[in-house]
Amino acid sequence: MTKKEIELRQRFTQKKEDADKALAEGKTEEARQLLDEVKELKNQIELMVEGRSLNVPDLPGGENFVPELERNPEGRKGAEGDKEERQKKFTKLFMKSLRGKSLTHEEREFLENPEFRAMSGKNEEDGGILIPEDISRTIKELKREQLHQLEQYVTVEPVATRSGSRMLEKNGDMTPFQDIEEMGNIPETDQPKFTKLSYSITDYAGLLPLSNTLLQDTDQAIMTYVAKWFVKKSIATRNALILAILDDLKKVEFKGLDDIKKTLNVTLDTAISAGAIIMTNQDGFNYLDQLKDADGKYLLKDIPSEPTNKMLYGRRVVVISNKVLKTKAGKAPVIVGDLKEAVVLFDRQQQSIDYTNLAAGSFETNTTKVRAIEREDVRKWDEDAVVYGQLSIKDEEVKKS
C-alpha cells in the first residue's frame, strides 16, 4: 500500500464522517456534495487496489534491457509477491532485528514500508514497527480465551484516524420507521436522535525485558511469549479505562435484591433492560450465590448452555476479579445495565513494537527491552443505560424476593 493510497483512505474516512454528520443535522445539500466526494475517493482507492493485484507480465529484452520495475521502485515494492509472502518476509526481518542482528539498507527499507507501518497522519508520534500479522493474530486468539476482559461487554468502534467523531443513536431513543403511502415522501420530521461522540486516540505503552538467551529460541516461542505479555497488558489497560468511566457514574445503594429487580423493571428503559447484564466482583458474586428462596433453592440459576455461568432474573451474572473490580468499605459493586449502550471503546487497531539492547538498562542486564504500544480511547455514551449499585456484603440478612 503506497503513501498516496493511505492518504486517500484517511480522506475517505474523514469525508464519510462529515457526510454522516451533515445528514444527521438535516443539511441535505452539504451531505450530497460530501457523498459525491466520498464516491470519487472510493473509486480512486478501488483503482489502486485493482492495479496492485495485477501481475506483471514477463518482458523480453537483451542484456542492456532495464525492466520497468527496476526503474520504478514503487512498482518493485508492489511486486514483492502476494500479501502472505510479504508478511512472511516481514516477520522474518522483524525477528532478525529483534535478535539484534544488523539489517541491510534494503531490509530496513522493507521493514519500514508504509504497508506495514502504523500510519495515522502523525508518523512522528507513532514510532516503532507494526506488530507482524502472526503475533497480532496470536494476540487476538489469546484475548478471546481470557475471562476478565471488559471490552467484550462494551461497544468497540474501529477507527482509522487518531481523532474524530461518530454519530450514534441511543437504544432508548430509537425512533421507528414512518408509515408512508406507496411512492410517498418520508416526513421531514422523522429525525433520529443521534448523539455526536468525539474521540481522541491515546498511545499506551509498556516495557518487556527479554533475556538474550530467550532470543536464541525459535521464532514461534519468542512470538508466543511476546503475545501473551501483550495480551495481559492490553486487557489490564482497557479494563482500567472502562472501569474509570463506570466509576465516574453516580453510585446507588442496593439494600437487597428488590433494588436490583426494581432497577431492571423500572429504572432502566425496557430496551436497555432486555440486553442488561449484572456485573459484580468475587465478593458480590459469593454473597448472591449463597442466597436462597423460601423453599431453600438458590436464587442464582445455571445458564443451561453454560453450566459454569449463572443468571439472576434472566440476566447473565458477570463475575470480575476482586483485583480488577474492588470492594470498598464493605460494599461490593453491582453494575446493572447494558454496557454496550453505556461505554464506547474507540480502537485504533494499531499495536507496534520497538526494542533496544543498549538503552534502558539493557546493556547492563544483558537483555533486550521491548517497548509495546497500543492505541485507543474510551468514552461514556449513555449513562442512563447502566446503574452502578453498591451492595452491602456484611453478614446481616438481606431481604429476598
Side-chain angles (χ1 to χ4, degrees):
M1 187 184 300
T2 65
K3 184 176 181 180
K4 176 64 176 177
E5 183 178 340
I6 292 170
E7 292 175 352
L8 287 175
R9 289 179 181 274
Q10 292 172 347
R11 287 171 56 194
F12 174 90
T13 300
Q14 187 58 54
K15 290 287 185 182
K16 183 62 169 60
E17 290 179 357
D18 293 341
D20 291 341
K21 177 183 176 182
L23 191 60
E25 295 175 351
K27 300 177 181 177
T28 309
E29 291 300 323
E30 181 181 343
R32 170 52 57 193
Q33 182 178 349
L34 287 168
L35 285 175
D36 288 341
E37 294 178 28
V38 169
K39 290 178 182 178
E40 178 58 30
L41 289 169
K42 181 174 181 289
N43 291 335
Q44 293 182 48
I45 293 170
E46 288 176 345
L47 282 173
M48 285 188 170
V49 173
E50 183 179 352
R52 199 169 64 239
S53 66
L54 295 175
N55 293 323
V56 179
D58 293 332
L59 297 175
E63 293 181 355
N64 296 326
F65 177 73
V66 179
E68 174 64 23
L69 289 179
E70 291 187 14
R71 297 197 302 270
N72 181 2
E74 288 298 318
R76 186 173 67 250
K77 291 179 182 177
E80 289 284 354
D82 58 23
K83 180 180 178 182
E84 183 178 352
E85 289 302 315
R86 294 198 304 274
Q87 287 289 352
K88 287 181 180 178
K89 181 177 179 180
F90 179 82
T91 300
K92 181 179 179 180
L93 293 179
F94 176 89
M95 298 306 301
K96 180 180 178 180
S97 179
L98 182 62
R99 288 188 168 96
K101 298 180 179 179
S102 61
L103 301 177
T104 65
H105 175 73
E106 184 180 3
E107 288 175 334
R108 172 59 63 181
E109 186 180 52
F110 181 85
L111 198 60
E112 296 181 351
N113 189 300
E115 181 175 354
F116 304 108
R117 291 273 294 161
M119 301 299 289
S120 68
K122 293 187 177 180
N123 296 333
E124 72 280 0
E125 293 184 7
D126 285 345
I129 300 173
L130 197 65
I131 285 182
E133 192 172 284
D134 297 7
I135 299 181
S136 180
R137 189 185 305 114
T138 302
I139 289 173
K140 292 177 182 177
E141 291 172 354
L142 290 173
K143 262 194 172 184
R144 284 195 290 267
E145 299 172 2
Q146 302 302 310
L147 298 177
H148 300 303
Q149 53 162 329
L150 299 185
E151 69 178 277
Q152 63 184 305
Y153 301 110
V154 306
T155 292
V156 178
E157 188 77 14
V159 296
T161 56
R162 290 188 71 92
S163 62
S165 62
R166 288 289 187 272
M167 302 302 293
L168 304 173
E169 187 175 12
K170 296 178 181 178
N171 215 2
D173 294 335
M174 198 73 70
T175 57
F177 283 125
Q178 295 291 308
D179 182 15
I180 60 174
E181 297 180 1
E182 186 175 358
M183 303 300 290
N185 294 324
I186 300 176
E188 290 291 338
T189 55
D190 180 30
Q191 292 292 335
K193 298 179 181 179
F194 285 101
T195 300
K196 179 181 179 180
L197 193 60
S198 299
Y199 66 87
S200 179
I201 299 299
T202 300
D203 293 359
Y204 295 93
L207 290 175
L208 169 66
L210 296 178
S211 68
N212 289 332
T213 52
L214 172 65
L215 291 176
Q216 304 305 313
D217 212 328
T218 64
D219 288 358
Q220 188 59 47
I222 297 171
M223 288 191 293
T224 300
Y225 185 87
V226 171
K228 286 182 177 180
W229 173 79
F230 209 125
V231 166
K232 292 178 182 179
K233 289 295 185 180
S234 175
I235 291 176
T237 300
R238 296 189 172 194
N239 282 354
L241 293 172
I242 293 169
L243 288 177
I245 296 293
L246 295 175
D247 193 55
D248 192 50
L249 298 173
K250 178 183 178 182
K251 307 299 190 300
V252 177
E253 184 177 358
F254 282 171
K255 297 180 180 179
L257 294 184
D258 281 346
D259 289 331
I260 298 178
K261 180 180 285 189
K262 183 179 179 181
T263 297
L264 292 167
N265 292 344
V266 180
T267 308
L268 297 175
D269 184 275
T270 53
I272 299 296
S273 180
I277 62 173
I278 300 173
M279 179 180 289
T280 187
N281 62 5
Q282 292 170 274
D283 290 334
F285 176 75
N286 181 61
Y287 189 86
L288 295 173
D289 197 34
Q290 296 184 55
L291 297 179
K292 301 178 181 179
D293 60 19
D295 297 326
K297 297 180 180 179
Y298 288 107
L299 294 177
L300 294 188
K301 307 298 182 184
D302 292 335
I303 297 178
S305 59
E306 306 170 31
T308 58
N309 294 315
K310 304 287 185 179
M311 59 181 177
L312 178 65
Y313 305 134
R315 276 72 169 188
R316 172 189 291 272
V317 177
V318 175
V319 186
I320 305 299
S321 169
N322 281 346
K323 295 179 181 179
V324 177
L325 191 57
K326 302 181 184 300
T327 297
K328 299 178 182 178
K331 295 182 179 180
V334 180
I335 303 169
V336 183
D338 188 347
L339 270 63
K340 289 187 179 295
E341 292 288 316
V343 180
V344 179
L345 187 155
F346 293 98
D347 187 0
R348 183 69 177 86
Q349 302 180 94
Q350 286 190 340
Q351 297 167 328
S352 60
I353 275 182
D354 212 340
Y355 36 83
T356 179
N357 56 10
L358 296 176
S362 297
F363 182 80
E364 294 85 348
T365 57
N366 191 34
T367 61
T368 293
K369 292 289 181 67
V370 174
R371 183 194 69 192
I373 300 177
E374 72 170 20
R375 301 168 172 90
E376 58 246 349
D377 187 22
V378 179
R379 297 293 173 119
K380 179 171 62 177
W381 179 16
D382 184 3
E383 60 183 309
D384 293 329
V386 65
V387 174
Y388 195 119
Q390 293 182 307
L391 179 66
S392 174
I393 56 173
K394 296 179 181 179
D395 294 333
E396 64 224 39
E397 182 70 17
V398 172
K399 184 178 180 182
K400 301 181 180 65
S401 54

